[in-house]
Amino acid sequence: MYPARSPQRQRRSSDCAARLPFDVALGPYDLRVELHRPDRLLDRRRLACVNLSECRIELRSDLEGLRLAEAFLDCVIRLAHFSNGCQDGCVEEAWTHSFATGMVEFARRNPKAWLWFNLLLARHLPGAGYDRVVRGARARAPAMPRLVRVARHDVRLRSISKTQSGSAFGWYVYADREAQLYRGLAGANLAVVALHEITHAVHHAYGLGDSARQCDFRRSQLAGWIGVMRRSPAVWRWLAWLMSHPEQATLAPPQMPPQVARAS
């Protein structure tokens, strides 16, 4: 149950709504993002709808704050999977990579929508500062965190050598709940692989395997990643940086400036 909105909260919600992105492009689709009365949605049972026939994403006009952010993310996830052809019968690996590539594509192709989404999160998660990361207001890239909270579990993040990674860019070790990333990763591929391995951890936390249904994958990804944004802000700041500034994205340690010899 959500409390009634104060006038101040109503103003903030209106401010966010005024900056709604007008269009979101993902895969072959270019959809207009609109606020609609609940009785005007394509599916009145839902908080938001992807209406491909009318080329729009419909968000309920009475949503605000994290509920609005969650409803919007749900539409992005649905659109990404539909664009990638994921449906019942697809294996867990397909759902994992579809989410990872879909999120990176969304961030790269829709900078205004990406900023709006992270600003909405930041306004309702004190101290998160996600919008500052997206804008590039930080002096330098955040380091990869060591832990991410996924549902009720702590998942370790670790960089590994080329020898350890073998022919893969990364691994998720189920027995240890550990996401491993090849330390030579850089650019947009680093964001894709990081999202991919952590999404394996999300599916693991919710008990999903190859036989799970598409609705289970979508719901777990939505709940799991909203949980990361709420409970592991350092992790989402890092990922948001990778997706927003791929030209600076790397796991390699920063180069130290050369030491200048001083005269004795």
Side-chain angles (χ1 to χ4, degrees), residues 1-17 35-36 38 60-68 120 124:
M1 183 175 181
Y2 292 84
R5 289 181 287 179
S6 66
Q8 183 180 12
R9 289 181 66 194
Q10 287 178 331
R11 286 195 298 272
R12 287 179 178 176
S13 179
S14 297
D15 289 344
C16 284
L35 292 172
H36 283 260
R60 272 180 47 158
S61 57
D62 58 346
L63 294 176
E64 67 168 357
L66 293 180
R67 295 183 76 204
L68 178 58
L120 186 59
H124 297 275

Side-chain angles (χ1 to χ4, degrees), residues 155-187:
V155 175
R156 287 179 293 179
L157 303 177
R158 184 164 68 94
S159 63
I160 56 177
S161 67
K162 180 63 176 177
T163 301
Q164 292 170 307
S165 63
S167 60
F169 289 127
W171 301 96
Y172 176 65
V173 183
Y174 285 80
D176 298 330
R177 292 192 186 273
E178 182 175 80
Q180 302 175 352
L181 307 179
Y182 166 49
R183 66 175 58 113
L185 287 168

Side-chain angles (χ1 to χ4, degrees), residues 238-257:
W238 175 62
L239 292 168
W241 174 278
L242 299 182
M243 287 185 270
S244 303
H245 312 285
E247 69 283 355
Q248 302 178 54
T250 178
L251 276 185
Q255 294 293 323
M256 298 297 293

Side-chain angles (χ1 to χ4, degrees), residues 207-259:
L208 303 185
D210 288 343
S211 61
R213 299 175 301 170
Q214 59 175 314
C215 60
D216 297 324
F217 282 114
R218 292 198 309 262
R219 288 170 184 167
S220 72
Q221 289 172 356
L222 179 62
W225 277 103
I226 286 290
V228 170
M229 296 165 195
R230 298 183 68 170
R231 295 188 290 271
S232 297
V235 173
W236 188 250
R237 279 194 294 270
W238 175 62
L239 292 168
W241 174 278
L242 299 182
M243 287 185 270
S244 303
H245 312 285
E247 69 283 355
Q248 302 178 54
T250 178
L251 276 185
Q255 294 293 323
M256 298 297 293
Q259 294 293 324

Side-chain angles (χ1 to χ4, degrees), residues 97 100-101 103-105 107-108 169 185-196 239 241-250:
H97 203 58
T101 56
M103 285 300 297
V104 173
E105 182 187 355
R108 300 304 301 147
F169 289 127
L185 287 168
N189 195 36
L190 172 54
V192 169
V193 176
L195 286 163
H196 181 113
L239 292 168
W241 174 278
L242 299 182
M243 287 185 270
S244 303
H245 312 285
E247 69 283 355
Q248 302 178 54
T250 178

